[in-house]
Amino acid sequence: MELARQALVEDGAPADSLLTVSVYRRRKIVRLALDGAHTAGRRGSHWYSEHHALARLLSREAGLTVHSYVYDPQEFEEVKAFGGGQHVGGERLLYDEVELPECLDGEFDDEAFARMQAQWPMGHLAWVFGVERELLLQLHRMQGTRLVLNGPGSEPGSPLDQLLRGASA
């Protein structure tokens, strides 16, 4: 929780932002997102693309690689990796720059397109996590726990530790 509060300050996020935690236990994936009016909709995609303090701080403190991703189905997808508090890799794909292959038979079916998407940033991250791309794209819709970072309900002893311990079980 303290790292999330620090990230709020570093990223200049509103003080009333929440931390949303979703856990996909089958693959031990934990999704953390600073949430508020500033992260809603397409505008939120751009905010997440430019603000990575939480991922950077977590990678430094936990000593592991943290992936930050943004998916805007109209414009782009992006994955960035952080390790030891530093940006260590990633990729951004703008959809209007994608060249679709020309097929000899003139058909480019859904299967061919799905194989193509598997090579894009979100597809590669899904492969790293051992899940399907569609599951990764739906993590934000999984039931999550919204935690208050500042004000009433933000006292030490929040359910975050319990949520994260449950992810490693």
Side-chain angles (χ1 to χ4, degrees):
M1 292 291 284
E2 187 54 40
L3 290 178
R5 286 186 197 100
Q6 187 177 342
L8 281 180
V9 172
E10 286 187 28
D11 280 339
D16 64 348
S17 299
L18 302 171
L19 177 66
T20 299
V21 182
S22 304
V23 179
Y24 182 67
R25 296 185 195 299
R26 187 172 295 149
R27 297 299 302 164
K28 298 181 182 178
I29 298 172
V30 177
R31 178 186 175 271
L32 301 172
L34 295 175
D35 281 335
H38 65 290
T39 63
R42 293 192 68 211
R43 187 180 80 199
S45 297
H46 291 271
W47 188 89
Y48 281 121
S49 182
E50 298 170 5
H51 297 87
H52 305 104
L54 184 57
R56 187 176 40 73
L57 292 169
L58 282 170
S59 75
R60 184 185 68 215
E61 293 300 316
L64 49 86
T65 301
V66 174
H67 295 89
S68 171
Y69 68 87
V70 178
Y71 174 69
D72 178 335
Q74 322 268 285
E75 192 174 344
F76 71 100
E77 59 188 64
E78 172 181 84
V79 174
K80 291 187 178 182
F82 295 85
Q86 302 294 316
H87 177 243
V88 294
E91 183 179 8
R92 180 181 187 137
L93 177 86
L94 300 171
Y95 296 137
D96 62 358
E97 294 179 2
V98 172
E99 292 184 32
L100 297 176
E102 293 200 24
C103 297
L104 296 176
D105 60 7
E107 296 275 332
F108 188 68
D109 62 14
D110 290 343
E111 270 186 47
F113 189 61
R115 284 192 303 274
M116 187 175 176
Q117 286 179 311
Q119 304 303 310
W120 295 356
M122 294 297 289
H124 180 74
L125 183 59
W127 176 82
V128 168
F129 288 159
V131 299
E132 297 294 322
R133 174 183 159 91
E134 285 307 311
L135 184 133
L136 186 61
L137 295 177
Q138 296 304 315
L139 282 179
H140 72 283
R141 294 189 179 182
M142 289 178 62
Q143 182 174 358
T145 302
R146 299 183 81 185
L147 304 171
V148 176
L149 293 171
N150 295 309
S154 65
E155 299 83 19
S158 73
L160 183 59
D161 288 336
Q162 294 168 347
L163 286 168
L164 297 180
R165 265 195 300 265
S168 63

